[in-house]
Amino acid sequence: MSAPAVLEHGSDPVVDRREVAGRGLRTDRRRRLRRRLLVTLALTVLAAVLSVTALMLGDYRLSAAEVVRTLAGSDEGAARFIVMDLRLPRLVLGILVGVAFGLAGALFQSVLRNPLASPDVIGISQGASAGAVTALLVVGSASGVVVPLSALAGGALVGLLLYAVAWRGGMTGHRFVLAGIGVAYVCTSLIGYLLTRSDVKEAQVALLWMTGSLGQADWPLVRTLAVAVVVLVPLVACVARGLSLLLLGDEQAGSLGLRPEVTRACVVGLGVALACVATAAAGPVAFVAFIAAPVARRLLGDGTLALLQSALVGVVLVVGADVVAQHLLPADLSVPVGVVTGAVGGPYLIWLMASGRTRRA
């Protein structure tokens, strides 16, 4: 169609196609934003419901109204002591641990492009456990800051070792994961050796810690973990844009001004730090980091990082598993929270391997 004809009919096919494409993009963007908001809101409400439930249940049961009044500071009776001194530290510790593990898993799986790249699969949690068990059984310290600091040191050492082993002029996810699985076995062997050489009572203390538990929660521990999370989460937000660009590939990310290896090192470092502080506070709560990010991304369905949603899924998993472990199981079957998360995560790992989804890294 000639130019005069286009003017005569008042429309240009090229312009029309651009307008149709633009409307389609805007509609798709609004749809994804609406779904993201709904998923975030639903996870937040679910986490809040589980949190209130955790504060209500126990030997002395409270109503939801009593819990809310106590949190608002208008109840000074026995409910205040039960909520503020007995149950709230455990709940807040669970929330912080869920946030830390959820974010750590999302960072590792995104930067390494492998759904198996979780701290509890590639040896970070095992390294932290080996450090803590060494403090418990060799140094003989079961209290204070020795165990958490030893866990931090163990996890950080494993992280540095993995980066050094996986580096070949650059780092790829499969080398990091394979090296991590090997290091995890080494750490597990070290833990087993220490347990076999220790006293039975000391070994019981170490085994309880290694299972992952919120039972040791108190306000000093919660404050320490809260400070670490408050420092690390903004740093995660700072590297989030760079991580999003890395998902496009190193060449395209480099053409946009990003330094891929520097960004990758920062993301891995933050993932190691989050996994270590959570493990130092509550032990290696199994499979939370492994499950949180895939569930969050599946809920969103748009292929984005889903960092906030991964943190919320982590909170839901830890708090929900703790409610089940404390109140839904028979009293003689009461177990640490890590046993419940492991019971959920094990079948998920089997399904992941059986369905071949690990290939979609």
Side-chain angles (χ1 to χ4, degrees):
M1 183 180 296
S2 63
V6 169
L7 293 176
E8 182 180 348
H9 288 85
S11 64
D12 185 335
V14 175
V15 175
D16 288 344
R17 284 197 293 271
R18 288 177 178 174
E19 290 180 352
V20 170
R23 284 196 298 271
L25 287 174
R26 287 192 293 273
T27 302
D28 183 64
R29 190 179 297 117
R30 285 195 295 270
R31 181 185 60 79
R32 289 192 298 172
L33 179 61
R34 185 165 56 249
R35 180 166 178 169
R36 178 174 288 268
L37 291 174
L38 288 175
V39 168
T40 304
L41 180 62
L43 289 173
T44 303
V45 171
L46 180 57
V49 170
L50 288 172
S51 299
V52 173
T53 303
L55 295 177
M56 292 169 56
L57 299 179
D59 293 335
Y60 187 93
R61 297 207 171 192
L62 301 170
S63 66
E66 289 176 313
V67 169
V68 173
R69 283 200 304 270
T70 302
L71 294 177
S74 59
D75 194 334
E76 298 294 335
R80 178 175 176 78
F81 171 74
I82 293 171
V83 171
M84 302 302 292
D85 294 338
L86 299 182
R87 297 177 186 173
L88 192 58
R90 184 181 183 117
L91 171 64
V92 178
L93 181 65
I95 291 173
L96 293 172
V97 167
V99 169
F101 275 131
L103 284 176
L107 291 177
F108 275 115
Q109 291 167 353
S110 298
V111 76
L112 300 178
R113 299 183 184 181
N114 192 318
L116 292 178
S118 171
D120 43 8
V121 175
I122 61 175
I124 303 299
S125 296
Q126 288 84 351
S129 299
V133 170
T134 301
L136 287 168
L137 302 181
V138 178
V139 181
S141 175
S143 60
V145 298
V146 177
V147 173
L149 288 180
S150 300
L152 286 172
L157 184 62
V158 167
L160 291 173
L161 177 63
L162 291 181
Y163 209 95
V165 171
W167 180 267
R168 292 290 186 278
M171 189 182 68
T172 58
H174 74 278
R175 279 203 300 263
F176 200 97
V177 173
L178 290 177
I181 293 174
V183 172
Y185 276 111
V186 172
C187 293
T188 303
S189 299
L190 174 61
I191 293 171
Y193 171 76
L194 293 175
L195 289 174
T196 58
R197 304 289 295 180
S198 65
D199 181 74
V200 174
K201 292 183 179 179
E202 293 175 339
Q204 287 179 339
V205 175
L207 284 173
L208 178 61
W209 187 90
M210 289 171 54
T211 305
S213 174
L214 303 178
Q216 72 281 14
D218 55 24
W219 283 119
L221 178 61
V222 170
R223 280 194 290 270
T224 303
L225 180 58
V227 170
V229 172
V230 167
V231 171
L232 292 172
V233 168
L235 296 178
V236 172
C238 291
V239 302
R241 181 179 179 277
L243 183 55
S244 298
L245 294 178
L246 276 182
L247 297 180
L248 302 174
D250 286 4
E251 291 186 3
Q252 293 191 36
S255 66
L256 294 173
L258 187 74
R259 299 174 64 184
E261 290 304 330
V262 174
T263 303
R264 193 172 285 117
C266 292
V267 172
V268 171
L270 287 172
V272 170
L274 285 166
C276 286
V277 297
T279 305
V285 183
F287 288 115
V288 175
F290 182 69
I291 297 175
V295 170
R297 285 196 291 267
R298 181 170 288 271
L299 289 174
L300 292 182
D302 58 2
T304 56
L305 288 176
L307 293 177
L308 173 60
Q309 291 74 22
S310 298
L312 289 172
V313 173
V315 172
V316 170
L317 285 173
V318 175
V319 176
D322 195 43
V323 170
V324 173
Q326 284 194 90
H327 308 297
L328 298 187
L329 295 178
D332 56 343
L333 293 180
S334 180
V335 295
V337 64
V339 174
V340 179
T341 58
V344 175
Y348 174 76
L349 176 60
I350 294 173
W351 171 79
L352 191 68
M353 300 298 292
S355 63
R357 291 176 184 271
T358 55
R359 297 172 186 172
R360 302 178 185 178

